[in-house]
Amino acid sequence: MSQKRQRPWGNPDFRHRTQMPAPAIEQIEQELLYLLTPATFKPLGDSKGKGLRNRLQTLPVMMAIVVSLVYRQIPSLSEVTRVLEKEGLLWVESLKVSKQALSKRLATLPAYLFAELFEQVIQQLSRRKPLSLPSGWQPVYEKFTALWIADGSTLEALRKKLKVLQEESSPLGGKMMMIVEAFTHSPVRCWYTEESAANDKIWSDNLLAALPVGGLLIFDLGFFSFVLFDAFSEEKKFWVTRLRQKTAYKVTRTLAQGNLYKDELIELGQYRSNPCKHPVRLVSVLWGKTWYYYLTNVLDPQLLSAQQVCELYRRRWRVEDAFLLTKRLLGLSYLWVGGQNGVQIQIFATWIFYAVLNNLCAEVASVLNQPLERISVEMVFRGLYHFSRALLRGESEDVVAFLAENYKLLGLVKAVRKRHRDSAALSQEIWVSCG
């Protein structure tokens, strides 16, 4: 009897990619032009004191190239040189550049310039009309100066597509740390290290400095540290995480209790020489047959209820969704060049376009009167191709209107599945006795 051939799982980040560039869309390019207007490059590209010199591949040209690689899903540097020579990219007219020259420029152009441009884009988008929030969360949103989620993601599983990587014992990648907004999913901050196995705690000072006073940050166990908890409390900044197993604590006060939950004030680190100096709050929830434990330094239930503590931590997966979309959908799992500098440039270029795409999803959600969580970022991105065809046929001129009009055909709104309804019903059961 012949055995069935086992299909290897492989790395899910490496889906089959098209070998043809996606078509240009004027409305998307106008948005990119507005956010990345070449006039803003001048202070960044000033050669004084930065060791730069004038050349053909200037910062505006390189930004047009790297953002186009992401936005139009151009599969390689060879292909981008063809597109650049034949039709130009974004604000750059037709230009002949060799693949070798482009690779060298990506390896030498300072990545911090792209980091500064990323921050400029985020600031411009944040000044626009605030995005609508899920039902019931507006009062919570108004109590904190920021509601952010932080998490790290390794890039060590990057594909060995380049010859320089194939000759190495392990793939070149590194690790990035991202902060995204809890409700709008917009990127807020981005950091990078070439150490793929780096502990998330290396960014503790960055997170503490980035969060404004009165803001709240949601993070996982990678940041579990009494020193960090105390630092947040002393600077009047807030956090939500979960309790690490075998962490000793003492209950000092019970704030509320139901059949399926407990809300308590505790002291952490009972058997340590350096326990947590400030009291924290422990919310315990029986979900199905398992107890889950969440920690926060928001001690006042009037500021943040026990239910809101749990729901906020559940939103931590929004940053995981952002990682999945940038890696698999926008191609961050594929290296353009074989150097750390080029990897950083690709990271910032990808997150810049992700911010633009996320803002487009928010506009579609507003027109459809749907929560942002119900809008599929992947299907909105794939819908851009269909809009480009409709534009050529003269059937539509506005991308948001086209997507909203064809949302069913394009599958833009996620279905509410049975597991979602069951989860909502269980949550209602847990908190029905909550005051």
Side-chain angles (χ1 to χ4, degrees), residues 18 20-25 28 71-73 353 357 360 378-393 395 399 402-403 410 412:
T18 178
M20 296 295 294
I25 300 175
I28 299 297
Y71 141 62
R72 295 184 59 182
Q73 294 289 276
F353 180 68
L357 180 61
L360 176 62
E378 178 173 356
M379 298 313 295
V380 167
F381 181 65
R382 300 194 186 286
L384 295 179
Y385 167 80
H386 298 284
F387 169 71
S388 70
R389 300 299 91 189
L391 184 63
L392 286 177
R393 294 191 297 267
E395 298 173 358
V399 62
F402 172 83
L403 293 173
L410 299 175
L412 302 190

Side-chain angles (χ1 to χ4, degrees), residues 151-156 173-177 191-204 222-223:
D151 200 8
S153 180
T154 180
L155 298 175
E156 63 184 351
K175 191 171 185 178
M176 59 181 170
M177 170 60 58
W191 297 284
Y192 171 83
T193 177
E194 62 185 33
E195 299 296 331
S196 299
N199 191 290
D200 286 347
K201 291 187 180 71
I202 67 171
W203 286 291
S204 294
F223 291 100

Side-chain angles (χ1 to χ4, degrees), residues 216-263:
L216 185 146
L217 186 67
I218 307 162
F219 49 77
D220 202 358
L221 291 179
F223 291 100
F224 196 95
S225 165
F226 293 169
V227 174
L228 183 62
F229 294 166
D230 287 332
F232 269 78
S233 297
E234 289 163 5
E235 295 196 18
K236 295 181 172 54
K237 301 179 181 181
F238 303 103
W239 49 266
V240 170
T241 188
R242 58 192 175 104
L243 180 66
R244 187 170 58 190
Q245 290 184 354
K246 299 182 180 180
T247 301
Y249 63 87
K250 182 176 95 172
V251 177
T252 59
R253 182 184 172 190
T254 299
L255 300 174
Q257 187 170 348
N259 295 329
L260 302 174
Y261 82 97
K262 290 187 292 185
D263 190 359

